Amino acid sequence: MGDNDTQDTDSHADGIERRTLLKTSVALGTLAIGGASLGAVNANSLPDQPDAEDGTVAYQYFHAEWTDIEADVSRLEEVGVDAIWIQQPARGKLDWDDLSYDGEYGFYDETSPFGFRDPHPPVGYQPVDLTDLDSTLGTERELESLIETCHDHGIEVIVDVVLNHMAAADGPDGYVELPQFDRDEHFHDNGTLGEDCQLDGEAGEYECDLLGLPSFDVELSYVQNAHRDYLQRIADLGADGLRYDAAGHVWPWYFESEINALADDLDLWRVGEIWDYDIDRLLEFADTGMTVFDFPLYDAIVDAFEGGSMEGLSQDAANGVVHHDPSVAVTFAQNHDTVGPGVEEDEPEGRAVELAEAFILAYAGMPMVYRSGPEDRTELDDEAFRNLVAVSQESAHGDVIDRHVDYDTYVFERDGNLLAGINKGGAAAEHTVETSWGDETLVDETGGGETVTTDASGQVTIEIPSDGWVMYVPGEDDGDDGDDGDSDEITLQMTVDVGHGDSVYFTGSADELTNWGGGVEGTWTEGNVWEVTIDDPGAFEWKTRRGSSDGTGDVWEQGGNHDENDVHPTHQGWSE
């Protein structure tokens, strides 16, 4: 996440430093990107709404032990991903090599019970003890080390948690004890959903067992306290966010009044797995204070890239969460449970999945990328994939504006920032489209298209290669465009007295400001006004740090971030 790093903030008494790229909405609550203050949120207050932030790229890193992921963190940093989503830490009933036992559902021989989807390592959750974070994936200390290493490399960590169920009673070695819970006292006994569930309607969704796994009675204070303690321990390890497994089978009120309110207090971003195509139901869960995976958009993606029309992805036709509220939509082309377009038993991820990834990385919402084949993860070394990650972070901002759509191609603009064209057809496609730029040079940041220039009205003709994409952004000014002489530089100022021997350093979300690093040392002028002039990077956020002269800033300014429109704000005090 070197391109999008943000300030560390202390969120726990034990001194663990926490980052806030995955954040609560500034408009609604107490957090702001890059070093906000965390308000005193009562666990029973209405939770704030986390954002699926534009420019954040997450990577689902499953089927690997903690030590193996930690060994790959440097490569993840090179790719530029902002966050990784990892599996649940908790002792489970199933070891790495036998998720169940021979002859029973869930036993993994050469492939998963779903057939070809993923290889031997664990994918199913059957937790036994939420007080024991040592699991088949590694020890609690190894997980803490992984999180610390990720933070050292500018990557945040989203941890999977299961709040719906615990392990079934039958195991490879006989009856499975649950040290924390009583199977008769702490779970519902209403049968299994889709089999012998004794409840109708939504009560069945929330109070019948899922796949035979015992469903918690979340009205019990004992269960609620156990969940609170579990999430507290995960936060204390330094995790930045949560992914709620099977969230669609937990009462929404429980998320609103208990879990998401607690996550606010612990400064944890969150996303829920509500495997549903009903927009109203997905938004109902989002309203409890979480983002949600956009399953309706995923369905449209598979249809479009498996032989359907690209029109199904357009603003007028598609019905994804991202089309209703992009700020709560986490988008994906596939995950560990779902295959991407064109994936079959003898046809692993191919060009259709790559095209779908290009789409979600350029589109609204927060993209979560996943590939099977954990033995090598070749996509992380692919230059085209890395270019798309950079485009997503730097340019995929603003509202989506449809510019052209037909059966094979979709051209859309991210208002004033990016012109994306995707073509799944077998021949190159040329289209003349409207844009927001007049007399502007546009450069394809992924290297597949020729540089083009819009006319005075903003029209431009672009060519999209077959089975390919272009990602156009405004190019460098050639200095001879006859403009009105506006400067290409911007000067930031801060009035603050730092004492003899110290300087003010300016840092922020742009290369020119060290990407939330130690910062650029400012120049002092009379009146304790510190300033720095940089090439104008466009939209960005910034803050100041204090440190010794001719060195680097190591003490953060308190409060929320400033932006490019606030070039001489009032200093908010130092964080010490």
Side-chain angles (χ1 to χ4, degrees):
M1 180 189 324
D3 291 339
N4 264 352
D5 203 5
T6 56
Q7 175 197 345
D8 292 346
T9 55
D10 290 336
S11 295
H12 300 291
D14 58 10
I16 293 175
E17 289 193 337
R18 295 285 303 287
R19 303 170 60 256
T20 54
L21 182 67
L22 301 171
K23 65 185 181 64
T24 301
S25 172
V26 177
L28 292 177
T30 59
L31 303 180
I33 192 169
S37 57
L38 175 63
V41 181
N42 183 281
N44 291 316
S45 65
L46 184 67
D48 289 330
Q49 179 64 61
D51 279 348
E53 181 72 8
D54 273 351
T56 301
V57 177
Y59 183 81
Q60 183 180 354
Y61 207 129
F62 269 32
H63 316 308
E65 296 177 341
W66 306 141
T67 53
D68 290 338
I69 301 176
E70 184 171 9
D72 206 16
V73 167
S74 293
R75 186 165 59 141
L76 291 166
E77 181 184 24
E78 291 173 1
V79 174
V81 297
D82 299 298
I84 59 170
W85 161 27
I86 61 174
Q87 289 177 259
Q88 182 197 30
R91 180 162 68 86
K93 84 172 186 182
L94 306 176
D95 293 331
W96 185 271
D97 291 329
D98 72 342
L99 293 186
S100 182
Y101 49 96
D102 201 359
E104 296 294 328
Y105 179 83
F107 177 75
Y108 280 50
D109 191 0
E110 295 299 323
T111 59
S112 81
F114 300 103
F116 63 90
R117 184 66 193 102
D118 280 308
H120 203 66
V123 295
Y125 289 135
Q126 295 216 33
V128 169
D129 187 356
L130 299 183
T131 69
D132 184 356
L133 300 192
D134 291 347
S135 73
T136 190
L137 299 167
T139 67
E140 179 176 357
R141 180 64 193 100
E142 288 170 340
L143 174 59
E144 185 175 36
S145 178
L146 165 61
I147 294 172
E148 290 172 351
T149 300
C150 284
H151 289 176
D152 288 343
H153 288 78
I155 298 171
E156 299 190 356
V157 180
I158 303 165
V159 175
D160 221 329
V161 293
V162 182
L163 305 176
N164 166 258
H165 62 262
M166 294 293 283
D170 56 330
D173 301 317
Y175 186 80
V176 177
E177 296 283 353
L178 300 178
Q180 272 181 289
F181 304 105
D182 185 291
R183 290 188 180 276
D184 295 325
E185 181 179 351
H186 298 130
F187 301 91
H188 294 293
D189 185 20
N190 299 314
T192 294
L193 191 65
E195 297 179 13
D196 59 348
C197 179
Q198 302 166 19
L199 303 175
D200 295 324
E202 64 176 2
E205 292 287 332
Y206 306 130
E207 297 186 6
C208 283
D209 295 348
L210 178 66
L211 299 175
L213 303 171
S215 174
F216 277 118
D217 184 349
V218 297
E219 292 186 1
L220 299 176
S221 60
Y222 182 89
V223 171
Q224 295 177 8
N225 289 335
H227 284 164
R228 290 176 60 85
D229 291 344
Y230 182 51
L231 298 187
Q232 177 70 64
R233 289 190 64 185
I234 289 173
D236 288 342
L237 289 176
D240 303 281
L242 305 171
R243 179 263 189 178
Y244 301 134
D245 177 79
H249 299 284
V250 178
W251 281 103
W253 66 259
Y254 186 51
F255 283 113
E256 181 173 304
S257 65
E258 300 293 335
I259 298 302
N260 287 330
L262 173 63
D264 270 352
D265 199 15
L266 298 177
D267 190 10
L268 292 168
W269 182 89
R270 52 267 182 202
V271 58
E273 180 202 27
I274 300 93
W275 198 330
D276 202 305
Y277 301 94
D278 183 337
I279 292 294
D280 290 338
R281 185 163 186 257
L282 290 164
L283 293 177
E284 176 189 6
F285 275 90
D287 286 344
T288 70
M290 67 172 80
T291 65
V292 295
F293 282 107
D294 197 339
F295 279 91
L297 183 69
Y298 159 76
D299 196 44
I301 287 171
V302 171
D303 181 70
F305 290 102
E306 276 191 350
S309 173
M310 295 288 277
E311 293 171 334
L313 297 175
S314 67
Q315 296 285 296
D316 290 337
N319 193 36
V321 175
V322 74
H323 298 101
H324 291 260
D325 187 354
S327 70
V328 300
V330 177
T331 60
F332 62 100
Q334 62 175 358
N335 62 29
H336 64 293
D337 287 327
T338 61
V339 297
V343 177
E344 300 288 347
E345 183 168 1
D346 298 322
E347 295 288 339
E349 288 98 341
R351 193 58 172 173
V353 167
E354 294 172 351
L355 289 165
E357 288 175 348
F359 168 73
I360 64 168
L361 286 165
Y363 214 64
M366 174 182 148
M368 180 80 74
V369 180
Y370 174 80
R371 299 276 188 95
S372 62
E375 292 83 3
D376 45 27
R377 303 183 188 273
T378 56
E379 68 278 5
L380 296 179
D381 297 317
D382 180 43
E383 183 177 359
F385 178 72
R386 293 186 175 198
N387 286 340
L388 286 170
V389 170
V391 167
S392 184
Q393 292 172 328
E394 297 167 9
S395 303
H397 306 272
D399 293 339
V400 174
I401 305 171
D402 286 356
R403 294 305 189 184
H404 173 86
V405 62
D406 59 33
Y407 191 85
D408 284 333
T409 62
Y410 186 14
V411 181
F412 56 89
E413 182 183 326
R414 298 299 301 276
D415 193 4
N417 294 297
L418 172 69
L419 183 67
I422 300 175
N423 176 18
K424 68 181 180 68
E430 185 176 278
H431 298 291
T432 299
V433 298
E434 301 287 341
T435 75
S436 295
W437 306 282
D439 292 324
E440 184 77 59
T441 299
L442 302 181
V443 178
D444 179 14
E445 289 291 280
T446 59
E450 297 290 334
T451 298
V452 296
T453 303
T454 64
D455 65 19
S457 68
Q459 280 198 336
V460 69
T461 300
I462 62 172
E463 182 176 292
I464 314 169
S466 62
D467 282 325
W469 55 79
V470 290
M471 301 287 166
Y472 280 105
V473 300
E476 294 293 328
D477 188 349
D478 62 10
D480 188 27
D481 57 5
D483 62 17
D484 59 6
D486 287 346
S487 173
D488 291 326
E489 296 181 330
I490 186 171
T491 297
L492 306 178
Q493 294 181 321
M494 183 63 72
T495 301
V496 61
D497 184 4
V498 294
H500 179 71
D502 277 355
S503 292
V504 171
Y505 292 80
F506 294 77
T507 185
S509 61
D511 291 341
E512 294 81 358
L513 292 171
T514 71
N515 282 310
W516 295 114
V520 179
E521 187 173 10
T523 301
W524 182 90
T525 59
E526 188 174 356
N528 288 320
V529 178
W530 294 85
E531 66 178 37
V532 65
T533 299
I534 59 172
D535 291 337
D536 188 350
F540 67 100
E541 295 187 339
W542 66 281
K543 292 182 79 169
T544 58
R545 298 175 70 158
R546 191 188 74 216
S548 58
S549 300
D550 300 320
T552 185
D554 56 8
V555 178
W556 282 95
E557 178 187 355
Q558 297 185 97
N561 295 342
H562 316 297
D563 61 28
E564 72 280 0
N565 298 311
D566 194 11
V567 297
H568 193 177
T570 300
H571 196 264
Q572 303 169 101
W574 301 111
S575 61
E576 58 190 9

